[in-house]
Amino acid sequence: RLEPGLVAAYKRLGSVHRAAGDLDLTRKVYEKAVGINPADPELWSNLGVILAEQGRYKEARKMCEKSIELSPGYAAGHNNLGLILQALEDPGGAIKAFQRSVSLDPRGQPAQLNLAKLYLKLGQEDRARSVLEAYLKLEPGHPDATRLLDSIED
């Protein structure tokens, strides 16, 4: 019988190690947590993020895809997959992942900003502007979105 608090404790421990900059230990903690509760999409996604931060993008992609397989409606999993696909130089896949995250959580600021930044990187200022304007209608005055939109209009 699993103790419900055990996985939560591992999540907190992983966050502490990540904040301290110890990615190897963070990865080991998340791997242990996934072994305890392999049905938790957040754990798989977190493990993917850590692997990506270690430059292990192909492995990271698999972890985020597993997260999405377990919970197709997990917006953060789609956002994290988008970041990984962007690092793997798959902008089309990244755009789709960010768009899916946004559709699941329209107020999800990371995916909105990541999508807008990718559009800017690709030279698609009109699309970036559209994403930011739509987000600012939901979250008026959001500082990061406002700054990014102002940078387009300058």
Side-chain angles (χ1 to χ4, degrees):
R1 178 178 164 291
L2 293 177
E3 291 293 324
L6 187 59
V7 171
Y10 274 113
K11 286 180 184 179
R12 285 191 298 279
L13 185 60
S15 295
V16 168
H17 290 304
R18 183 177 183 205
D22 191 338
L23 297 180
D24 284 330
L25 194 50
T26 304
R27 179 181 46 78
K28 289 174 185 173
V29 167
Y30 285 137
E31 286 171 344
K32 177 78 170 170
V34 162
I36 294 168
N37 185 6
D40 185 330
E42 182 182 357
L43 291 173
W44 288 99
S45 185
N46 288 351
L47 183 54
V49 169
I50 297 306
L51 289 167
E53 289 177 5
Q54 293 181 315
R56 297 164 63 178
Y57 298 110
K58 290 181 181 178
E59 291 171 84
R61 178 182 185 165
K62 289 178 185 175
M63 300 302 112
C64 285
E65 288 172 344
K66 178 67 174 179
S67 170
I68 292 166
E69 176 188 316
L70 290 169
S71 181
Y74 183 47
H78 290 278
N79 180 63
N80 292 337
L81 179 60
L83 291 169
I84 292 162
L85 291 173
Q86 189 172 354
L88 287 168
E89 299 181 11
D90 179 1
I95 287 169
K96 287 178 186 175
F98 291 142
Q99 288 173 332
R100 181 69 178 138
S101 181
V102 169
S103 73
L104 292 166
D105 181 10
R107 293 183 188 275
Q109 173 257 335
Q112 295 276 10
L113 294 181
N114 291 333
L115 181 58
K117 288 176 186 176
L118 180 53
Y119 280 142
L120 287 175
K121 184 178 178 180
L122 297 172
Q124 299 177 19
E125 288 187 359
D126 289 343
R127 287 185 175 186
R129 183 179 295 109
S130 176
V131 167
L132 293 167
E133 288 171 349
Y135 180 65
L136 285 167
K137 285 180 184 176
L138 296 172
E139 298 290 336
H142 188 280
D144 294 335
T146 300
R147 244 187 321 276
L148 196 53
L149 184 59
D150 288 346
S151 76
I152 297 171
E153 295 175 350
D154 288 343

